[in-house]
Amino acid sequence: MKTSATKPAASRPSRASRSRGPSARELIFGDLWEFDPAPETADPYIRSSYGLFINGKFSPARKGGSFPSISPGNEKKLTDLALADAADVDAAYSAASKAYEKVWSKLPGNERGKFLYRIARLLQDRAREFAVAESLDGGKPIKESRDFDVPTAAAHFFYHAGWADKLDHLAPGRQVAPYGVVGQVIPWNFPLLMLAWKIAPALAAGNCIVIKPAETTSITALKLCEVFQEAGLPPGVVNVVTGAGETGAAVMSHPLASKVAFTGSTEVGKAIMRSLAGTGKKMTMELGGKAANIVFEDAPLGQAVEGIINGIFFNQGHVCCAGSRLLVQESIADDMLTRLKLRMQSLRVGDPLDKNTDIGAINSKEQLTRISELVKSGVAEGAELYQTPCRLPSKGFYFPPSIFSKVTQSHRIAREEIFGPVLSILTFRTPEEAIEKANNTAYGLSAGVWTDKGSRILKMASQLKAGVVWANTYNKFDPASPFGGYKESGFGREGGRQGLLDYCKLL
Ligand code: NAD
């Protein structure tokens, strides 16, 4: 680390203008301190082009269509991906159906489990390469893909490997059976992890799969196909088709899929539900969110600041369960705002591959436009915007960490999912008001509660309409713990016994 003390501290707020919390220590990194670049240099082994992964092999799309995949960190092309149409999706389903009838349904659970263990171990072996590919392709900081996405994805395969021969204990008193072939579509915010959340339980339960990753982040899905080949997974058990919405619709509506699982926006989830109504397909929907992170005056405030920062700025805020609405008790609202502003100034925005980066690139130009538009609406509607004075790279898609104070319930930034590094702060006086405001949303995916009182945590958790409630922490995930929503955040669970049950028929 080097200092540049001679630089003018132009963007540094004047001492007089700064009011401090009682224990807040000020660290100004913006222009006073500079870190030497510390890029991760491992080779991600990305091929110049990828075909569709059907029946254990990579092959071009039947009509030869393809589309480029770029890196949001620098806008450079990474590879070309095959564009699957309905005929390609049909071929993928035929392969999955054949694999199910001839091989997968005949294997005992312990043999299926061995494949899952092998996949988990191979993923661990290639963890560094996968982490670099994930950050290059999706824009998330390398420290997150390295320390969270890849290890948690491997943990999902390990966890479900353990279940594969214990399905008799899944629903006490009932027998379970796989659906056969399942269709799955996932979003771009946790490309490898969402893939693991979908594939591991479906395979453990005995199903074969056709899955479509998001069009901006398909690379680690295709790299995982190399792992399937290396693990000797029988051809056709997992098939990966790449493309955009039309390909996704073909995956969801195919007649051979007896169960479909979708993770993505509420808007697209609703359209899929409408199109599948009456078909008898079993569905799981993991959709959007607008979580309330509620801080009471008796909370450990220093710890809460870390939880709030993690809750909204983790993965650039591209998190369905992001704590994007901060509800602060009125008596500590000013202190909390001061502490948050100070903490935000030490967040480093920039190259996703740099090990010191806290906030990487926004996943796509379209998403950057959407975030900018919603932030403009917040200013126009009268909320007060604070953004850290950080320098953004000239190439790539970046947005500074932002917080809005003086937000009211009717503001768009309090109601709509921004899916970016933008926090909206509201206040409350009583626990009842906090619950009413927290539940006043169409969504119901997650919530956070910060307080010193255990009884208050229990009361709040029982009254919050959210699938996950974290207490004195935020964004904690475990393969054994079910995750999913209420209301317009969807239905069904992923993870744990409950998530596995969603891939089984009860006999
Ligand atoms: P999106 O709905 O635009 O796209 C998700 C996926 O659906 C992509 O693969 C896309 O190609 C595909 N798709 C688009 N139109 C389709 C159609 N008509 N039929 C079938 N598939 C179609 O969402 P996104 O922008 O990629 O992801 C962000 C959204 O995902 C956010 O709303 C976020 O909250 C949500 N999400 C939810 C969870 C959860 O567990 N609840 C987890 C991650 C993300």
Side-chain angles (χ1 to χ4, degrees), residues 186-189 212 215 248-249 262-265 286-288 320 417:
I186 55 171
W188 44 260
N189 56 342
K212 188 196 88 66
E215 52 273 37
F262 174 78
T263 300
S265 60
E286 298 284 0
L287 309 175
C320 49
E417 190 181 34

Side-chain angles (χ1 to χ4, degrees), residues 96-112:
S97 174
K98 213 159 94 200
Y100 180 73
E101 295 299 335
K102 299 224 154 101
V103 185
W104 203 240
S105 61
K106 299 203 161 52
L107 279 187
N110 63 333
E111 291 299 322
R112 288 200 311 275

Side-chain angles (χ1 to χ4, degrees), residues 137-275:
D137 196 22
K140 62 178 69 202
I142 186 73
K143 68 178 178 189
E144 290 181 9
S145 43
R146 181 195 63 199
D147 300 343
F148 177 72
D149 294 67
V150 178
T152 316
H156 270 267
F157 281 103
F158 276 123
Y159 173 78
H160 288 95
W163 265 115
D165 60 353
K166 301 175 192 69
L167 298 180
D168 289 346
H169 304 283
L170 194 57
R174 303 284 298 267
Q175 289 291 306
V176 298
Y179 280 99
V181 179
V182 301
Q184 304 172 322
V185 171
I186 55 171
W188 44 260
N189 56 342
F190 292 95
L192 182 68
L193 187 58
M194 290 296 110
L195 204 72
W197 279 24
K198 292 273 180 286
I199 292 179
L203 292 185
N207 301 284
C208 290
I209 295 168
V210 176
I211 186 165
K212 188 196 88 66
E215 52 273 37
T216 55
T217 54
S218 300
I219 291 176
T220 45
L222 296 158
K223 285 178 69 67
L224 196 67
C225 295
E226 297 167 358
V227 167
F228 297 150
Q229 287 176 324
E230 220 179 320
L233 190 72
V237 170
V238 179
N239 303 274
V240 176
V241 289
T242 43
E246 264 182 49
T247 313
V251 171
M252 293 282 100
S253 61
H254 198 280
L256 284 177
S258 13
K259 145 119 202 173
V260 295
F262 174 78
T263 300
S265 60
T266 296
E267 188 192 348
V268 173
K270 282 183 182 174
I272 293 171
M273 282 188 271
R274 275 195 296 273
S275 72

Side-chain angles (χ1 to χ4, degrees), residues 74-86:
N74 56 20
E75 299 174 57
K76 287 191 183 144
K77 186 167 112 172
L78 292 170
T79 187
D80 282 308
L81 302 168
L83 177 61
D85 66 7

Side-chain angles (χ1 to χ4, degrees), residues 80 119 234 276 316 399 496:
D80 282 308
I119 293 165
L276 298 189
Q316 295 75 246
F399 198 82

